[in-house]
Amino acid sequence: MEVNNWHKELTYDNWVPVTVSGARPPARYKHAAAVVDEKLYIVGGSRNGRHLSDVQVFDFRSLMWSSLKLKANTGEDHGNSSQETLPATSGHSMIRWGEKLLVLGGNSKDSSDTVTVRYIDIETFQFGVISTSGSVPVARVGQSATLVGSRVILFGGEDMSRKLLNDVHVLDLESMTWDVIKTTQTPPAPRYDHVAAMHGEHYLMIFGGCSHSVFFNDLHLLDLQTMEWSQPQSQGDLVSPRAGHAGITIDENWFIVGGGDNKSGCPETLVLNMSKLVWSVLTDVKPKDPLSSEGLSVCSALIDGETYLFAFGGYNGRYSNEVFVMRPKAKDTLRPKIFQSPAAAAAAASVTSAYALSKSEKLDFIQLDDINSKSSVNGHHEDNVTVKIDAIKEEKRLLELSITEVRAENSKLGGEIHEANSTHAELTKELQSVQGQLVAERSRCFNLEAKITELQKLLESMQSVEDQVNALREKKSALDQEMEHAATAQRQSSGGVWRLFGGSEK
């Protein structure tokens, strides 16, 4: 098999390790990846607690790695950069913009207070910092950055003080100006290490991620026309909570790879049909497989007119530097049956597409036009068609009433959730206070126990002293008795002598 045609013999919907020619780059995770012209670019990352600054390039034709040697751009086109080498960074985002790779955010030693936008020119091999203006977001790691036309939508992450975020910012790549987006309804809980994707150019989808104690498996949508958040009901296979996973979209399908919950990795590759909102498990790997890792990357590449998925890196107890490839089988992109009639479309919207509830007046009535055109040819069906149209309109009206009720209930639940979150925050503070008091009491008890031990030892020594005193008292008593006996005997002896002398005088 020729090296240039290796991809044509791959089976569908299975991950396969790529046999690499030559040396591999250092293993890593929390890097950033992008594909340009049949080459995979890997920038930065982390390994053993150290940030990396290298740029590695994998050629899909030769299956060889190479290192991109960069030089700082000292000109003023993109803002002056005093760095001689690309800063070592991890937890950043990267998107392709023309012949440049834009690196946003991340954690590095020279992190500023706000998000820094760097560029890597893959034609001139230069890098630098792009000056941005407007409402520049606070610096962060673990955020998502999604390209929509000439804009980048930044969501969530964790700031340099480890505060979790759920804000939305937009960077206009034409003017390099930031805007903060004010959204309505209930946003996703603050999180980082999630994934984001666009459905069309209308909806931003957020999946998974974690806080400092909770891993998520929820799906949220932001309507970019109304800037309203919603959480639609999805169907299909059960999806486990995860963070540090990677995602890529192909047509209507969102492929989710890897991730974990700090205890174990997620071995399944998921696919979300973004139109039907149905989850399915595409394939599984072994639990300790490099694809069952946190902090890996996944990209799509077009080779000889066919789309392939490429995954790299990650950490699941071991750092990985392997490349894996999947040849995804073309999925059915036909319009689902539940959207074939206007009434059914409204019903589906009320059940599985809560984010589109306010758009029911825009339902597609093309098929009704077709029915009317056919009824003009077959006049004897015209009355029946009119009755059906009236019935459909009445059903639509009833569905709109149901939609209004659902929105009101959602708003009520959102308020209850906010109240519950506030109560949880207060209870957390009380718990922390009690825990602090408990630590102090434990320290006090320990000190008391130490003093008690000392007193017990002192008492034991006092008992020994008391025994010695009693022994001495007994000796003293015996000595006193002996002395008393001796004195008595002496007195008796002295009396006899005097009696003897008295008798002689007579």
Side-chain angles (χ1 to χ4, degrees):
M1 181 181 65
E2 295 183 7
V3 174
N4 288 343
N5 295 324
W6 61 271
H7 54 283
K8 295 182 178 179
E9 297 186 6
L10 295 173
T11 59
Y12 288 108
D13 293 342
N14 286 306
W15 287 107
V16 178
V18 178
T19 302
V20 174
S21 300
R24 299 172 182 264
R28 68 195 66 200
Y29 83 138
K30 292 190 176 182
H31 53 277
V35 170
V36 181
D37 298 333
E38 297 188 355
K39 291 181 179 180
L40 174 65
Y41 289 80
I42 302 295
V43 177
S46 178
R47 176 184 172 87
N48 296 327
R50 297 181 61 183
H51 305 314
L52 303 176
S53 62
D54 56 341
V55 179
Q56 303 289 339
V57 184
F58 183 66
D59 191 310
F60 296 143
R61 293 291 183 179
S62 66
L63 303 183
M64 295 182 65
W65 283 99
S66 61
S67 180
L68 195 64
K69 304 299 181 184
L70 299 176
K71 55 185 178 181
N73 181 9
T74 57
E76 299 181 355
D77 292 341
H78 300 282
N80 236 353
S81 173
S82 59
Q83 295 277 346
E84 294 184 1
T85 60
L86 188 68
T89 309
S90 68
H92 48 296
S93 303
M94 185 167 69
I95 60 171
R96 177 187 177 181
W97 180 241
E99 296 304 315
K100 293 182 175 63
L101 301 176
L102 301 185
V103 179
L104 297 89
N107 189 9
S108 62
K109 291 184 178 180
D110 62 341
S111 296
S112 63
D113 295 334
T114 55
V115 169
T116 301
V117 180
R118 294 184 172 88
Y119 74 92
I120 299 172
D121 192 317
I122 57 178
E123 287 188 335
T124 64
F125 303 146
Q126 291 184 330
F127 75 92
V129 175
I130 298 179
S131 298
T132 60
S133 59
S135 302
V136 183
V138 66
R140 62 193 66 198
V141 298
Q143 70 285 332
S144 61
T146 310
L147 182 64
V148 187
S150 61
R151 298 180 300 166
V152 176
I153 302 179
L154 198 73
F155 170 77
E158 181 186 44
D159 71 11
M160 298 301 107
S161 300
R162 297 207 68 200
K163 178 184 177 182
L164 296 173
L165 306 169
N166 63 348
D167 49 352
V168 182
H169 296 262
V170 174
L171 174 63
D172 188 322
L173 297 179
E174 301 290 350
S175 62
M176 286 300 166
T177 302
W178 286 100
D179 284 316
V180 59
I181 302 301
K182 295 182 179 180
T183 61
T184 59
Q185 303 304 323
T186 305
R191 64 191 64 200
Y192 69 108
D193 284 355
H194 53 278
V195 291
M198 283 301 303
H199 181 31
E201 292 192 359
H202 194 168
Y203 299 106
L204 176 70
M205 308 181 92
I206 304 294
F207 169 66
C210 65
S211 66
H212 294 148
S213 58
V214 179
F215 288 80
F216 302 109
N217 63 346
D218 49 358
L219 180 67
H220 295 264
L221 293 96
L222 177 62
D223 188 325
L224 297 182
Q225 293 184 357
T226 64
M227 293 303 169
E228 291 183 353
W229 281 109
S230 61
Q231 189 173 356
Q233 178 183 350
S234 59
Q235 300 175 354
D237 292 335
L238 183 65
V239 177
S240 60
R242 67 196 64 202
H245 45 297
I248 192 71
T249 58
I250 300 177
D251 298 325
E252 297 292 308
N253 297 297
W254 192 9
F255 293 79
I256 305 294
V257 184
D261 59 3
N262 282 344
K263 298 177 182 178
S264 60
C266 297
E268 66 272 12
T269 295
L270 301 170
V271 178
L272 175 68
N273 185 304
M274 294 186 289
S275 292
K276 301 178 184 179
L277 293 178
V278 175
W279 287 104
S280 60
V281 175
L282 182 62
T283 186
D284 286 284
V285 297
K286 295 179 180 180
K288 287 298 183 180
D289 192 280
L291 288 166
S292 178
S293 297
E294 298 181 37
L296 76 170
S297 61
V298 62
C299 296
S300 64
L302 191 65
I303 305 176
D304 295 335
E306 190 172 359
T307 301
Y308 296 83
L309 300 183
F310 290 89
F312 172 78
Y315 176 78
N316 63 355
R318 293 179 56 189
Y319 294 97
S320 173
N321 61 354
E322 290 192 66
V323 180
F324 291 84
V325 62
M326 174 187 281
R327 186 184 190 184
K329 191 174 183 179
K331 302 294 186 292
D332 182 13
T333 58
L334 296 177
R335 195 178 187 187
K337 291 183 179 179
I338 59 174
F339 292 109
Q340 287 182 358
S341 70
S350 67
V351 176
T352 60
S353 300
Y355 59 91
L357 294 178
S358 62
K359 307 294 186 301
S360 59
E361 67 273 15
K362 297 182 180 180
L363 295 173
D364 186 5
F365 279 90
I366 295 176
Q367 293 189 1
L368 290 180
D369 294 338
D370 293 340
I371 294 174
N372 289 332
S373 63
K374 291 179 181 178
S375 65
S376 64
V377 178
N378 302 289
H380 59 282
H381 293 301
E382 184 173 358
D383 292 338
N384 291 336
V385 170
T386 301
V387 172
K388 291 180 179 178
I389 292 174
D390 292 338
I392 289 172
K393 288 181 177 179
E394 177 62 19
E395 187 176 359
K396 174 178 176 289
R397 187 184 68 81
L398 294 175
L399 287 170
E400 288 175 339
L401 292 175
S402 299
I403 288 168
T404 302
E405 294 176 358
V406 170
R407 291 182 64 86
E409 184 66 20
N410 285 344
S411 178
K412 179 181 177 181
L413 289 174
E416 292 177 355
I417 291 173
H418 178 73
E419 183 178 354
N421 288 337
S422 300
T423 303
H424 178 267
E426 294 176 358
L427 291 175
T428 300
K429 291 180 180 179
E430 292 181 8
L431 177 60
Q432 291 174 346
S433 176
V434 171
Q435 287 175 338
Q437 295 175 8
L438 180 60
V439 170
E441 287 298 322
R442 284 177 177 172
S443 177
R444 181 169 168 270
C445 288
F446 177 81
N447 292 332
L448 288 174
E449 288 176 353
K451 290 181 178 179
I452 289 171
T453 302
E454 292 178 0
L455 289 172
Q456 287 176 339
K457 292 180 179 179
L458 182 60
L459 286 173
E460 291 174 358
S461 63
M462 289 180 66
Q463 182 64 39
S464 176
V465 170
E466 186 176 355
D467 292 340
Q468 293 177 3
V469 169
N470 289 333
L472 289 173
R473 284 175 178 173
E474 291 176 357
K475 289 181 179 180
K476 180 178 180 295
S477 178
L479 182 61
D480 289 341
Q481 290 178 358
E482 290 178 1
M483 291 177 67
E484 185 177 353
H485 290 317
T488 301
Q490 184 177 5
R491 284 196 300 272
Q492 290 176 351
S493 175
S494 299
V497 172
W498 286 112
R499 281 196 299 270
L500 179 62
F501 284 114
S504 300
E505 291 178 345
K506 290 180 180 180

